[in-house]
Amino acid sequence: MREAHPMTPAGRRIVAAAEELFYNRGITAVGVDLIAERSGVTKRTLYNQFGSKDHLVAACLAERDRRWRSLVRAAVDACGSPVEAVTAPFDALRTWSGTNTRGCAFINALAELPDPSHPAYRIAANQKLWLRNLFEELATAAGCSGPATLATQLLVLHEGALATQPFPGDTLSGSTDLARSLVRASAPPRR
Amino acid sequence: MREAHPMTPAGRRIVAAAEELFYNRGITAVGVDLIAERSGVTKRTLYNQFGSKDHLVAACLAERDRRWRSLVRAAVDACGSPVEAVTAPFDALRTWSGTNTRGCAFINALAELPDPSHPAYRIAANQKLWLRNLFEELATAAGCSGPATLATQLLVLHEGALATQPFPGDTLSGSTDLARSLVRASAPPRR
DNA sequence: TCATAGGTATACTGGTCTGTGAACTTTCGC
DNA sequence: GCGAAAGTTCACAGACCAGTATACCTATGA
C-alpha cells in the first residue's frame, strides 16, 4: 500500500512542473505539451514515466499530500504540550499559505474530476479523512472531551480558513483563535 | 451596475443547461457544443446571446448567486428573532445542500479561472464578500459584541461546511451548532 | 562487451475546442 | 402587412488536445 519513490530525475522534474501548473491554472486547462516543455523533457518521456495524464495528475496530488503531511507532523512535533499539538495543523497551514495562495489543491482538483474512478479522486478524498482522524487522535491524546465532535469542528474551521484564503481579509488568524479556544474549553484542567 | 434580466427563452435554457454541466463536470471540461445540444439550441444562438463562453460562465454564476441570495434572504425573514437570524444562512445552506452536493460552485469556478480579469472572477469573489457583510449586519442588528470578528468566524464555519460537503460525514450540523453557540455567547442577555 | 534502461527528436493520428460566415425561417408587435 | 428580433442550418477556420510511432543516443553495470 505504501510504495517507495523510485522516480527518475526526469520524472521528478515532470511532477514538479505539473504540480505548479495544475495548481495555478487548473488541471484540464494545462496540456501535456506545456508540462513537457516546462520540465525540459520530451512528451515521450512523460508517457513512458506516467502512462497517461490522469496518472500524472494522481502522482502530483500524491506528492503534494506527502509534503503537506510531513509539514503537519513537524508542526505537531514542535509543540510543547499535547493540548497545543491539537491545533498544530493550523500552524502548518500558516506556513503552507505563504506559498499556496489559490486555496486547497485537493478541493480544486475534485472540482475538475467528478469521476470517483479517476486515479486522483481517492487521493484527494483521503487527504481530508487523514486530517480529520489526526485531529481526533490528537484530541484524544490531549484528554479532550468529545474528541469526535471536536475533530469535525476543527476540520471545518481548517477547511474554511483554506477555502476563504484566496479572498481578501485574514481568516486564518480568526479560525486559529477559535480552534484554540474550542480545544482549551474541552481539555481537562491543567495539573 | 444592476442590470435587469431581459433574457430570451433560449437564453434561459442555455444558462440552465450550462449551470448544471459546469457545476457537475467542470467549466473547462464542458464544451459549448454540448451546452447547445442540451438546451435544444444552436451554437449560433448561444454566441448571439452571450458572445463568448467566458461571458456565459459569468451569466451562470450570476444566476446562481441571485438564486442563493434570495434563498438566504427568505431564511433570514423566516426567523423569529434577530439572534436566530444571524445563523439563518446555515439553514439556507441545509436546503441548498439537498440539490448541490459538489461543494461551492464559486470556489470551484475560481479554481479553474485564475485570471482576475475573467468576467466571472468578480462575481465569484463578491459572493463571499456579500455573505461576510451580511453576517456582520445581522450580528450588529442582533446586538452581538464584536460583530466584525464574529462575522469572519461565521463565514469560515459556513465555507468550511460547504467545502467538506462532498466528503463523507455530516459536517453541516456540527458547524451550525458551533455557529449558534458563538452567536449566543456574544449576544446580549435576553430582556 | 553488450544488453538494458532512460532519454531525445520529430512527425503524426484522430479528435475536440472556441468561434465565425452567410443565408434562411419564424414569431410578433405595430 | 411589414419590419425587426430571435432562432435555425451548416459548413468551416485554426488552434489545441491526448497519445503513438519510429529511430536514435548515452550511460551503467554484470
Side-chain angles (χ1 to χ4, degrees), chain A residues 60-73:
Chain A
C60 289
L61 288 186
E63 167 60 21
R64 201 178 177 85
D65 191 23
R66 196 194 54 73
R67 217 164 54 239
W68 161 247
R69 291 191 193 193
S70 79
L71 183 68
V72 171
R73 283 199 198 93

Side-chain angles (χ1 to χ4, degrees), chain B residues 22 27-32 35 46-47 51-58:
Chain B
F22 287 154
I27 294 170
T28 318
V30 169
V32 288
I35 296 169
L46 191 155
Y47 277 94
S52 73
K53 183 184 175 180
D54 286 348
H55 285 97
L56 173 58
V57 171

Side-chain angles (χ1 to χ4, degrees), chain A residues 72-152:
Chain A
V72 171
R73 283 199 198 93
V76 168
D77 292 346
C79 285
S81 75
V83 171
E84 283 175 43
V86 182
T87 52
F90 287 84
D91 302 329
L93 181 55
R94 166 135 282 149
T95 308
W96 188 260
S97 294
T99 47
N100 298 276
T101 57
R102 284 196 18 92
C104 177
F106 302 94
I107 298 275
N108 290 357
L110 284 188
E112 292 198 67
L113 311 171
D115 180 8
S117 69
H118 191 287
Y121 191 94
R122 206 172 47 91
I123 295 170
N126 276 350
Q127 203 256 354
K128 301 302 169 201
L129 186 61
W130 176 82
L131 185 59
R132 209 216 75 97
N133 290 344
L134 178 69
F135 274 131
E136 188 166 344
E137 280 171 32
L138 293 171
T140 304
C144 293
S145 60
T149 306
L150 179 61
T152 300

Side-chain angles (χ1 to χ4, degrees), chain A residues 15 18 40 52 96 99 146 177 190-191:
Chain A
V15 168
S52 72
W96 188 260
T99 47
D177 292 345
R190 293 199 218 180
R191 89 197 69 220

Side-chain angles (χ1 to χ4, degrees), chain A residues 23-24 102 108 163 166-167, chain B residues 27 61 104-116 120-125 128:
Chain A
Y23 182 61
N24 288 307
R102 284 196 18 92
N108 290 357
F167 305 105
Chain B
I27 294 170
L61 288 187
C104 177
F106 302 93
I107 298 274
N108 291 356
L110 284 188
E112 292 198 67
L113 311 171
D115 180 8
Y121 191 94
R122 204 172 48 90
I123 295 169
K128 301 303 170 201

Side-chain angles (χ1 to χ4, degrees), chain B residues 151-177:
Chain B
T152 300
Q153 289 175 336
L154 292 176
L155 180 72
V156 168
L157 281 173
H158 187 275
E159 294 309 302
L162 201 42
T164 55
Q165 181 206 50
F167 305 106
D170 175 24
T171 56
L172 179 54
S173 297
S175 47
T176 305
D177 292 346

